C-alpha cells in the first residue's frame, strides 16, 4: 500500500501508488495546487503540505484510491498566513508538524492525535476497538474525520461490518445500502472482493476477479457489465463461455423497452434470432448459479430454493 507524493514544476501535488496493485485506481491523483512544501508523517499515513498560505493535512491520503467522496472529510485545513514567505515543513512526527519560517524561526502545528491512534488500530485489524475510539471522541470536528478514516481503512481491509457502521455514522445512505447488499446478498469471497473493487471504481479488476474464480462467477460478471451498460462486453463473456446469451438479450430488450428505443446493434439483432428469450429459463439459471455460490461458501440453501 505504499504511496509516493510528487510536486511538479507547476507546484501541483500528486499522489500515486509505488507499485500498481489490482483493485485500485492505477494513475496519479492531483491532491492540491500551489504547494510550497510537503511532508509525510513518520509513524502514520498522514500527509501535510503548505499551499496558498494554508496548512493542510490529509489524515488518510490513500482514500483517493478507495473512495474519493471521503477525501474532503479526511482533510483538515488551518490558516497559515502567520507562516510568512517560503515556509518549510522540516518534520512531521506523530501529530506535530514543525514548520521553519523564512526568517529561521520555527512553529509547531498540532493535528488530531486520535487519527494516529485509529490508524494503528486499523493496521492491526482491531476493528472493534477502532469503532469504540470513534464513538468515544465527542468533538464535533473530529468525529466526521475519524469515521471517514475508519470507513476508508475498513474498505481497504475488506471488513464490511466496520464499513457499514462507519457509513451509517456518516449518514452515507446510498453507500451503506450497497455495502449491506454486498454483505448479505453476495455469498462468495470472490464476489465480495469484486464488489469492493467495483466500489473503488475498478470495473476491469472486478470482472477479472469474478472470471478467475473457480468455477467462474459468470452471471455476476455479466450482470456487472450490464449494470455498467457495457453491453458488448457482457455479450462477449456470454458467447465465450456459451452461457447466459439469452440473459444478456433479455436484459437488453428490457432496457430498450423501458426507454422506448429500438435495437440498432447488428450483433444483438443477429443473436436475438438465434437465442430465444424465456424469462422462466433465465431466472432458473440465475437461481441455480446463486445456490451453487452459496454452497461453495458453506452456506445452507436459501428458503426460496427449498
Amino acid at each position: 500500500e505504499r504511496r509516493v507524493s510528487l510536486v511538479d514544476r507547476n507546484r501541483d501535488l500528486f499522489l500515486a501508488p509505488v507499485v500498481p496493485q489490482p483493485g485500485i485506481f492505477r494513475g496519479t491523483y492531483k491532491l492540491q495546487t500551489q504547494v510550497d512544501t510537503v511532508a509525510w508523517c513518520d509513524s502514520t499515513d498522514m500527509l501535510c503540505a503548505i499551499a496558498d498560505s494554508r496548512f493542510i493535512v490529509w489524515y488518510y491520503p490513500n482514500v483517493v484510491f478507495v473512495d474519493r467522496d471521503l477525501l474532503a472529510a479526511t482533510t483538515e485545513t488551518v490558516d497559515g498566513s502567520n507562516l510568512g514567505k517560503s515556509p518549510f515543513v522540516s518534520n512531521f512526527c506523530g501529530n506535530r508538524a514543525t514548520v521553519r519560517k523564512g526568517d529561521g524561526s520555527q512553529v509547531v502545528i498540532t493535528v488530531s492525535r486520535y487519527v494516529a491512534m485509529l490508524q494503528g488500530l486499523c493496521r492491526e485489524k482491531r476493528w472493534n476497538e477502532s469503532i469504540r475510539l470513534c464513538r468515544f471522541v465527542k468533538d464535533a470536528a473530529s468525529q466526521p474525520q475519524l469515521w471517514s478514516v475508519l470507513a476508508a481503512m475498513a474498505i481497504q481491509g475488506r471488513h464490511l461490518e466496520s464499513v457499514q457502521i462507519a457509513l451509517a455514522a456518516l449518514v452515507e445512505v446510498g453507500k451503506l445500502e450497497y455495502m449491506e447488499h454486498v454483505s448479505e446478498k453476495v455469498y462468495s469471497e470472490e464476489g465480495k472482493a469484486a464488489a469492493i473493487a467495483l466500489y473503488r471504481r475498478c470495473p476491469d479488476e472486478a470482472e477479472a476477479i469474478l472470471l478467475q474464480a473457480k468455477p467462474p462467477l459468470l452471471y455476476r460478471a455479466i450482470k456487472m457489465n450490464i449494470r455498467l451498460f457495457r453491453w458488448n462486453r457482457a455479450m462477449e463473456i456470454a458467447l465465450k463461455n456459451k452461457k447466459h446469451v439469452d440473459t444478456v438479450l433479455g436484459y437488453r430488450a428490457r432496457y430498450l423497452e423501458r426507454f422506448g428505443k429500438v435495437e440498432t446493434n447488428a450483433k444483438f439483432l443477429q443473436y436475438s434470432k438465434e437465442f430465444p428469450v424465456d424469462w422462466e429459463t433465465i431466472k432458473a439459471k440465475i437461481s441455480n448459479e446463486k445456490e451453487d455460490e452459496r454452497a461453495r461458501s458453506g452456506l445452507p440453501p436459501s428458503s426460496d430454493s427449498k
Side-chain angles (χ1 to χ4, degrees), residues 58-78:
W58 292 272
Y59 287 117
Y60 188 59
N62 191 54
V63 73
V64 301
F65 303 112
V66 178
D67 184 353
R68 297 175 197 170
D69 296 336
L70 299 176
L71 177 61
T74 57
T75 305
E76 184 175 357
T77 302
V78 179

Side-chain angles (χ1 to χ4, degrees), residues 44-198:
T44 66
D45 292 335
M46 292 189 288
L47 176 69
C48 73
I50 297 176
D52 197 21
S53 298
R54 294 175 299 160
F55 178 84
I56 306 171
V57 58
W58 292 272
Y59 287 117
Y60 188 59
N62 191 54
V63 73
V64 301
F65 303 112
V66 178
D67 184 353
R68 297 175 197 170
D69 296 336
L70 299 176
L71 177 61
T74 57
T75 305
E76 184 175 357
T77 302
V78 179
D79 180 36
S81 57
N82 63 325
L83 299 177
K85 295 183 179 180
S86 304
F88 176 75
V89 181
S90 56
N91 63 67
F92 187 12
C93 300
N95 68 321
R96 295 185 177 183
T98 303
V99 180
R100 189 177 69 236
K101 300 168 67 173
D103 59 6
S105 61
Q106 293 186 338
V107 177
V108 175
I109 300 176
T110 303
V111 299
S112 173
R113 67 183 185 274
Y114 297 113
V115 175
M117 297 168 60
L118 177 62
Q119 288 197 20
L121 293 173
C122 291
R123 281 197 299 269
E124 296 174 4
K125 299 187 183 301
R126 295 159 64 182
W127 300 112
N128 290 333
E129 294 175 48
S130 300
I131 294 168
R132 287 201 296 269
L133 173 62
C134 293
R135 288 173 173 165
F136 170 78
V137 178
K138 301 301 182 182
D139 181 38
S142 298
Q143 270 208 333
Q145 295 167 354
L146 292 173
W147 284 119
S148 298
V149 171
L150 175 59
M153 296 193 75
I155 293 170
Q156 179 73 20
R158 297 182 184 176
H159 195 264
L160 295 179
E161 182 180 352
S162 298
V163 175
Q164 293 174 59
I165 293 172
L167 292 175
L170 294 169
V171 199
E172 293 283 356
V173 178
K175 295 176 181 180
L176 175 59
E177 289 181 348
Y178 178 79
M179 288 300 174
E180 286 179 342
H181 169 78
V182 173
S183 179
E184 298 173 3
K185 302 296 183 180
V186 181
Y187 312 117
S188 63
E189 289 302 318
E190 297 90 345
K192 294 182 191 299
I196 292 176
L198 184 61

Side-chain angles (χ1 to χ4, degrees), residues 60 245 248:
Y60 188 59
V245 177
V248 180

Side-chain angles (χ1 to χ4, degrees), residues 258-277:
R258 180 178 180 181
F259 290 96
K261 296 185 178 181
V262 180
E263 182 63 78
T264 57
N265 189 308
K267 290 184 178 180
F268 280 88
L269 289 171
Q270 175 187 345
Y271 297 138
S272 62
K273 297 177 182 177
E274 301 176 11
F275 299 92
V277 175

